[in-house]
Each structure stands twice: as C-alpha cells, then as structure tokens.
Amino acid sequence: MEPTQITTPSSDLGTQPILRLFWRYAIPAVAAMVVNGIYVLIDGIFIGRVVGAEGLAALNFAWPVAGIILGVGIMIGMGTGTWMSISRGQNDHRKPRLYIGNALLLLVIFGLLFPLVFLPLEEPMLTLLGATGYAHELAADYLTILIIGSIAALTGAALPLMIRNDERPHLTTIIMATGAILNIVLDWLFIVVLGLEAAGAAMATVLAQASVGLWGITYFLSHRANTRINHTDLRFSWVYTLRTLSAGLPSLFMFFYYGFVLAIHNRLLMDYGGVLAVGAFTIVGYVQAIYYMFSEGVATGIQPLVSYNHGAGNRQRLLTTLRIGLGTVLSIGIGSVLLINLFPEAIAFIFNKDDIALQQMTVTALHLHLFSMFLDGFIVLTAAWFQSMARSRVASWITAGNMLIQIPLLLALPPLLGITGVLIALPVSNIILAIPVAWVLWMDLRTLKSPQPHPVSVQTPA
C-alpha cells in the first residue's frame, strides 16, 4: 500500500479558477437535478389530478422500497465517481477505467438480486407501511413494475454521476434532461391517455431510466469518453467494490433515511389524519424535493472539484469550492422558504383544484413542515464535502444523525401535538442536527487551514 502523493495537476480541475469550474459543473448538475425534480413534480400532478389523494398516497407508500433501489444506484455512481476523480487527481489514469468496469458489474448484480428479494416481500412491506384499500392496490402496481425493472433504475441513477466525473458535466445534463422529458411524455401517455394510473407512472420511470443507462454505457464505450473502457476493464474486484460502496454509502444512507422516515410519517399521518393527510404530505414532499434536488445538484456539481483537488493536495482550492457551494444552497434555501410561506395556497392548487379539504391540509403542512428547509441544503452539502474526499464515516454520521434525532421526535411529539407533531418533527430535527454538523465542519476547516497536512483518507492498492 502506498500513501497518496501530491502531484502536478493534469486537468482543468486543478488549474482553472474555482468559480469558473463551479459554474461549469454546478449549473449543469443543478439543471439536471431540477429537471428531474420537475419531472417528479409533474408525475405527482398527473397522479393527483387523474387519480386523486389515494394515488398520491400510493406513491408515498411505494417510495421507501423505490428509494432503496435508487439509493443503491446513486451509491455505486457516487462511489465510482469519487474514486475516478481522486485517482485522476493523483495522475493515475488506469484505475478510473477499472472502477467503471467494476461498477457496471455491480449494477448488473444488484439489478438481478433486487427482484428476487423484493417481489416476495412487496405485499407484507406495504401492509407494514400502513397502506390500505385502493392506495395499497395502486402502490403494489407501481412497485411490481419498478422492482422488475430494477436494473434500468440502477443504471439510470449511476451512469450520469460517473459521466460527470469524466469531466463531461454538460453531457450529463443533456442525458438526464432527455430522460426526464421522456419520462414526462410517457407519464402523460400512460396515465392520462391510457389510464394506467400508478402502473403507468412506474412504466414511464423504468423506460426513461433505461434510456439514460443505455446512453451512459454507450458513452463510456465510445471515443468521446475521456475514460474509454473496453471488455478487458470489466473485472470484478473486491478492493474496488469495497472502496466504491464505502465512498458511496452516505448516498445510500440518505435514501434509506428518507425512505425509513417517510414510512414512519405515512403511518403516523394515517393514524392522525387518514389518506387526506398522507396525500397532503405527498404534495409537500414534491415541493421539498425541488429544493432538495437543487442542493443535491450543487453537491454533485462540486464533488469532482473536491475529489480531484483532494487527491492533488490543493487545500486552498478546496476551501474556495466549499465557500461557494454553501453560499449558493443557503441563499436559495432561505429564499425558497420565504416564497413557500407567502404563496402556499397557489402551490396547493397546482396539485388539486377540486378537493378543498386537501388544499387546506396542504397549506397547513407547507407552513409546518418546511420552515427550516434551507438547513437541508447545508446538511446535504456538508455530507457531500466529506464524501467527496472518501471520508465516508463522517458523511454517514451526518446522514444517519438526522434519522437518529428525528425518530425520537416522531415518537414523542404526535401524542402531545397530534398531526402538528408529525409535521414539525423534521424541521426541528434539522435545527438540532445543524449545530453539531456546523461544529464538525468548522473543526475540519481549521485543520485544512493549518500548516499540517489535511488528512487524506486515500490509499492506492499495491
């Protein structure tokens, strides 16, 4: 094993001005994520207007399982991308090809494994999550199709992250935007025209993700790729697998956290408010997803910059990247919270124009559930900062911390405050978690600014 060496930059990531690189990588990443967020939003609008509250509730009941599938894809993509950029920061151009080849094999393995595991458990899981009646039936329809098409969902989630780390941020955006637009068109066809309801939404997702994954694989096999692979790079390696999964683990934790906490919210909202409350919470989740997608876009945009300059030992460039990223997500987050609280009725009306009770519940939920939403951006970006340097323990602690704080709040607050307690658990958890996260980040920045070398958790295989 050899320790990381500080090397002479061989890429724009190590030489171009950070602000220029930030816009070059963050804008396409944010655009891709926001387009995906808009697709999710339109997906909800189609379901909400065609099927109603039970359709919205069904998507929420299906999300914990769907989130695990997508989370594994993001884990493989983010882990692979991190090590691609770190290796290139060390002037090693062979390992990125091997990491990509290993990742493609992992995607196939998980794509074959998930149907075997999840299909027999689908019905009991939905029952455990609190799905009943027609909402249960719709959620089962959605999950069956998504689980069978797991390999499409996995590759569609992973490949864009790997392409971005091949220094092709604009192509990544084009691929993701094309997939999202295709998804919207297929949603309209399957849900509105053919009346396939939740099953139609799942079919649209699988087909769109399959197109993204296929495009990504074709890119890495072509002469256009900076890191072009061939069949000799398709080698399974336990070393690369463990490194990839370890570096990407915080991303999986984030999806697992979201799915697990969402499941608890759904169960409590069914108990305290019924299907109407779950439907309103689903709408709030769509609104929150737009800002979350934006924050993830900034985080994935700075990841190649952080990974490369960490591998190259460029500490000042790391500091500048973090400063720009945090300023961006916090300013947009605070502005978004203000807009949500000024125009909640207009937001609720977009999703359903006929059900007055659903609109009123949605307005209440928007006020109570999203008042500290801007802290999501701070927490996401800080976790991505550590993850981009392959410091997955700290990143995982940040991600898991929200779940560990929020679960006790979800157990304690609803008996005292009813549905209000369910809705304020997340924002209160964000406030509590932001304090230790800010302290950990501050301590890391002190180390980064000190004369001593910043800890580099990178080791290359012999």
Side-chain angles (χ1 to χ4, degrees):
M1 308 284 281
E2 297 178 357
T4 297
Q5 301 294 325
I6 296 178
T7 59
T8 302
S10 61
S11 163
D12 287 349
L13 293 173
T15 58
Q16 291 290 320
I18 287 295
L19 184 60
R20 181 186 303 172
L21 288 170
F22 175 81
W23 295 123
R24 176 184 165 192
Y25 278 83
I27 288 179
V30 168
M33 285 293 187
V34 169
V35 167
N36 271 356
I38 292 172
Y39 136 67
V40 171
L41 195 69
I42 293 175
D43 196 39
I45 292 171
F46 280 140
I47 290 292
R49 293 203 167 211
V50 174
V51 185
E54 287 190 319
L56 291 168
L59 295 183
N60 238 23
F61 286 127
W63 173 252
V65 178
I68 293 174
I69 296 172
L70 294 175
V72 170
I74 297 291
M75 173 178 66
I76 295 172
M78 182 64 80
T80 301
T82 296
W83 282 103
M84 285 171 63
S85 290
I86 289 176
S87 298
R88 291 173 56 249
Q90 298 171 327
N91 278 335
D92 188 331
H93 299 283
R94 174 177 172 271
K95 287 189 179 67
R97 298 200 309 271
L98 299 178
Y99 276 112
I100 294 170
N102 189 71
L104 293 177
L105 294 177
L106 286 176
L107 292 170
V108 172
I109 291 169
F110 280 105
L112 297 175
L113 183 64
F114 280 155
L116 298 176
V117 173
F118 285 129
L119 283 177
L121 299 175
E122 178 185 300
E123 289 294 331
M125 282 191 297
L126 288 174
T127 301
L128 181 65
L129 293 173
T132 58
Y134 192 44
H136 184 289
E137 181 183 336
L138 291 171
D141 291 343
Y142 183 91
L143 275 183
T144 299
I145 294 170
L146 188 66
I147 291 170
I148 292 172
S150 291
I151 193 165
L154 288 165
T155 54
L159 267 297
L161 296 170
M162 294 154 62
I163 295 172
R164 180 173 291 117
N165 280 274
D166 199 40
E167 298 192 31
R168 299 298 299 271
H170 295 287
L171 177 61
T172 303
T173 302
I174 292 171
I175 293 173
M176 293 181 70
T178 302
I181 293 169
L182 176 61
N183 208 326
I184 292 170
V185 172
L186 292 176
D187 268 338
W188 171 79
L189 175 63
F190 293 149
I191 298 173
V192 179
V193 177
L194 299 180
L196 297 177
E197 299 183 331
M203 291 168 61
T205 296
V206 168
L207 291 173
Q209 291 292 82
S211 70
V212 170
L214 184 60
W215 193 342
I217 293 170
T218 302
Y219 164 78
F220 278 116
L221 293 172
S222 74
H223 67 278
R224 299 178 61 200
N226 293 318
T227 309
R228 186 179 183 181
I229 65 169
N230 55 48
H231 68 279
T232 62
D233 298 315
L234 297 174
R235 307 178 192 173
F236 181 81
S237 164
W238 281 112
V239 173
Y240 288 174
T241 294
L242 292 175
R243 283 167 175 255
T244 295
L245 299 184
S246 176
L249 190 61
S251 297
L252 177 62
F253 276 177
M254 181 62 74
F255 275 85
F256 180 77
Y257 146 74
Y258 187 70
F260 184 73
V261 172
L262 182 63
I264 298 177
H265 273 87
N266 287 341
R267 191 61 186 249
L268 290 172
L269 288 168
M270 283 293 288
D271 291 341
Y272 286 92
V275 171
L276 188 70
V278 177
F281 183 68
T282 304
I283 294 174
V284 173
Y286 284 128
V287 176
Q288 185 180 22
I290 294 293
Y291 175 65
Y292 183 82
M293 291 286 190
F294 170 82
S295 300
E296 278 286 349
V298 175
T300 56
I302 69 168
Q303 177 267 310
L305 282 68
V306 174
S307 296
Y308 183 94
N309 287 289
H310 176 63
N314 297 326
R315 292 189 289 172
Q316 187 56 48
R317 294 174 69 81
L318 289 172
L319 285 170
T320 304
T321 302
L322 179 66
R323 191 179 303 118
I324 295 171
L326 281 177
T328 302
V329 297
L330 287 175
S331 59
I332 296 297
I334 293 170
S336 298
V337 171
L338 291 175
L339 287 174
I340 289 168
N341 281 278
L342 286 173
F343 306 106
E345 293 86 1
I347 296 171
F349 184 80
I350 292 172
F351 287 86
N352 191 293
K353 58 182 173 52
D354 301 318
D355 193 332
I356 302 301
L358 178 61
Q359 292 179 29
Q360 292 173 341
M361 179 71 75
T362 301
V363 169
T364 300
L366 286 168
H367 284 306
L368 294 176
H369 195 65
L370 301 183
F371 66 82
S372 70
M373 185 179 70
F374 64 94
L375 291 176
D376 280 333
F378 170 68
I379 293 168
V380 165
L381 199 84
T382 304
W385 162 261
F386 289 105
Q387 184 179 6
S388 299
M389 296 184 286
R391 297 171 65 188
S392 56
R393 289 185 182 178
V394 181
S396 298
W397 170 83
I398 292 172
T399 304
N402 212 337
M403 183 166 60
L404 295 175
I405 295 170
Q406 195 172 158
I407 290 174
L409 292 175
L410 284 169
L411 295 175
L413 294 178
L416 299 174
L417 303 174
I419 195 170
T420 299
V422 181
L423 294 172
I424 67 172
L426 173 63
V428 172
S429 172
N430 277 349
I431 294 169
I432 295 172
L433 179 62
I435 297 171
V437 168
W439 181 81
V440 170
L441 180 61
W442 180 70
M443 293 297 292
D444 190 65
L445 295 180
R446 285 187 60 188
T447 303
L448 192 62
K449 294 175 182 177
S450 68
Q452 291 79 20
H454 190 238
V456 180
S457 57
V458 180
Q459 299 228 322
T460 52

